[in-house]
Amino acid sequence: PTARPAAPPVGAGPLRRPLLPAAPAPAPQRGEAWRVWSPPTRAGNPRVGIMAMAVTTQARFARASGAAPAPGRARASPLRTSNASRCRVAPRAARAVAQVEADADAEGSASAGARDFNAYVLERAKLVQQALDVAVPVQYPELIHESMRYSLLAGGKRVRPMLCLAACEMVGGKVEDALPTACALEMVHTMSLIHDDLPMMDNDDYRRGALTNHKVYGEDNAILAGDAMLAYSFEHVARDTPSTVPAERTLRVVADLGKACGACGLVGGQVVDLESEGKPKEEVGMDTLRYIHEHKTGALLEAAVCCGAIIGGASDEQVEKLRKYALDIGLAFQVVDDILDVTKTSEELGKTAGKDLVADKATYPSLVGLDEAKRIARELVDSAKAELADFDQEAAWPLYALATFILERDS
């Protein structure tokens, strides 16, 4: 076999600089632990500080759950991972789960069973962050992998992976079995954000308080980074899901994930959204707006819940109940997004606020008013929670709490 070409010398290649200064980070609130790191890049590329856990999900989820902040500071995982750690061994997920649980015990965090939602969120976010860090190491060609990691490891709420893991556990599955699927969902979500921010799409300069991917690596590499993550998400599920999970379950997950991000899912919602731009709000109407939200945002949330349940061995009846739960929280998530766009500042959101209002886009607040939009969001979350009534209530509490968070989040 031919040897892999050597990496180009440091400093080779075009110089890429952000076109805008980094967004000023808002001051941390009381009880929030902040971690900021700069991704190491090849010489000539910028070092742009970004939030590893974005405003640390700690305080945001704590406000939704009413829980006190867990003691201790979350630790940033190293950006660079050796190629040796990239070996595809199923026990790796089990070791990661065990390590995170041990760290939680050492830091005095309450377990999920104690219904400390704040501690649960921190534990799960840390677990997913570590798994993503290992899954996508920096290797040749470095530029594309650095671009992928820039957005993939930029923190965020990790709602989709948490929904996936929670659904799997609720039906009796193991976290390590669903972890590759949870990571794949975050890869697809990150791809959608990178592409959505491009000038020919929503044209945004900031995401999670930092410059968007194309502002740092260029539009060409941003597109390719998204493409690479989308392709790799399927590879990750197929190759890293433990062999103890029946193959037919893994195949169903691959099919559901493909549908969620295809023309009948995320892409379809984006297409209709672009087609609706520039049209009067009244012409777009509620039916079209609901279609956009259910597909552009809701489809991947639906896949997160259902894929986790499938990996965990849920019955068809259970999967359908969870599908209805996910459809409701998915639509609620985007209704709340519409509300936040007109009620929060760019600093609070970590992205440009008020863009929909300026563009006169059809949103729930613009079509039915702010108060009615809030009522619709509450009604959707209540409907979602009702779908959980037939499940073990002790095991289902994270899904109840996540639904509440989606309604009450402030960014």
Side-chain angles (χ1 to χ4, degrees):
T2 58
R4 190 176 69 182
V10 173
L15 180 68
R16 296 197 179 279
R17 299 186 182 279
L19 303 182
L20 295 173
Q29 301 299 310
R30 182 180 179 85
E32 290 182 330
W34 283 65
R35 295 189 286 118
V36 180
W37 52 267
S38 298
T41 60
R42 292 161 56 192
N45 285 339
R47 288 176 176 267
V48 181
I50 59 179
M51 295 176 286
M53 282 296 186
V55 194
T56 157
T57 43
Q58 177 177 356
R60 290 181 178 175
F61 280 91
R63 287 194 289 271
S65 63
R73 291 173 66 90
R75 294 184 297 278
S77 56
L79 180 71
R80 287 187 182 271
T81 305
S82 67
N83 286 335
S85 68
R86 189 172 167 79
C87 58
R88 305 296 174 177
V89 182
R92 182 184 65 198
R95 290 196 299 272
V97 172
Q99 182 60 51
V100 169
E101 289 175 347
D103 288 347
D105 290 339
E107 293 172 6
S109 297
S111 69
R115 298 197 178 217
D116 183 345
F117 186 56
N118 181 43
Y120 175 84
V121 165
L122 286 173
E123 181 183 316
R124 287 293 180 258
K126 182 177 179 181
L127 174 63
V128 172
Q129 188 81 356
Q130 289 180 345
L132 290 170
D133 184 38
V134 172
V136 185
V138 176
Q139 58 184 335
Y140 181 77
E142 289 89 350
L143 184 60
I144 187 65
H145 290 93
E146 287 169 359
S147 177
M148 292 165 67
R149 287 169 63 86
Y150 176 83
S151 296
L152 187 62
L153 300 181
K157 294 175 279 292
R158 306 301 192 202
V159 170
R160 290 151 193 83
M162 277 191 284
L163 285 169
C164 177
L165 298 177
C168 180
E169 283 191 293
M170 186 182 69
V171 299
K174 300 176 183 178
V175 170
E176 56 264 33
D177 289 348
L179 189 54
T181 299
C183 289
L185 287 156
E186 192 65 14
M187 292 174 195
V188 173
H189 175 55
T190 302
M191 172 278 298
S192 74
L193 299 182
I194 293 174
H195 286 180
D196 197 49
D197 290 335
L198 289 167
M200 68 285 294
M201 296 285 190
D202 277 4
N203 191 24
D204 231 323
D205 296 331
Y206 295 104
R207 172 73 64 176
R208 293 169 177 165
L211 288 168
T212 46
N213 196 291
H214 69 275
K215 287 295 180 181
V216 177
Y217 293 96
E219 293 176 29
D220 49 359
N221 279 302
I223 293 170
L224 293 172
D227 292 346
M229 265 191 290
L230 179 60
Y232 183 56
S233 66
F234 293 96
E235 177 189 344
H236 193 60
V237 171
R239 187 161 62 179
D240 279 18
T241 300
S243 58
T244 51
V245 177
E248 60 268 21
R249 295 183 192 174
T250 305
L251 184 61
R252 284 183 66 186
V253 166
V254 170
D256 274 18
L257 187 59
K259 180 181 178 181
C261 60
C264 293
L266 189 157
V267 170
Q270 180 71 47
V271 168
V272 177
D273 189 23
L274 291 172
E275 286 182 336
S276 301
E277 286 187 2
K279 293 182 179 179
K281 296 189 296 288
E282 299 74 15
E283 183 180 336
V284 176
M286 287 295 294
D287 288 344
T288 300
L289 182 61
R290 185 181 181 109
Y291 180 93
I292 292 169
H293 287 348
E294 285 183 344
H295 291 76
K296 185 177 177 180
T297 301
L300 199 56
L301 289 167
E302 176 189 346
V305 176
C306 293
C307 288
I310 290 167
I311 290 289
S315 67
D316 290 344
E317 181 182 358
Q318 288 176 318
V319 171
E320 286 310 306
K321 284 184 177 293
L322 288 172
R323 194 179 302 280
K324 293 176 183 176
Y325 162 88
L327 286 170
D328 283 336
I329 64 167
L331 183 55
F333 190 98
Q334 192 57 51
V335 174
V336 172
D337 243 22
D338 287 353
I339 293 169
L340 294 175
D341 187 67
V342 296
T343 60
K344 298 293 181 179
T345 65
S346 298
E347 289 74 20
E348 289 171 313
L349 295 178
K351 60 182 180 180
T352 308
K355 286 186 62 180
D356 293 342
L357 188 63
V358 172
D360 200 31
K361 285 184 64 174
T363 64
Y364 272 81
S366 69
L367 287 179
V368 300
L370 191 59
D371 290 340
E372 179 64 8
K374 292 178 178 179
R375 186 198 66 78
I376 291 172
R378 287 193 299 270
E379 188 176 87
L380 286 166
V381 168
D382 289 342
S383 175
K385 291 179 177 179
E387 296 295 337
L388 302 175
D390 292 336
F391 292 94
D392 180 281
Q393 296 300 284
E394 185 68 24
W397 79 264
L399 291 181
Y400 281 107
L402 282 163
T404 299
F405 165 74
I406 284 172
L407 177 65
E408 297 180 357
R409 66 195 176 94
D410 55 11
S411 66

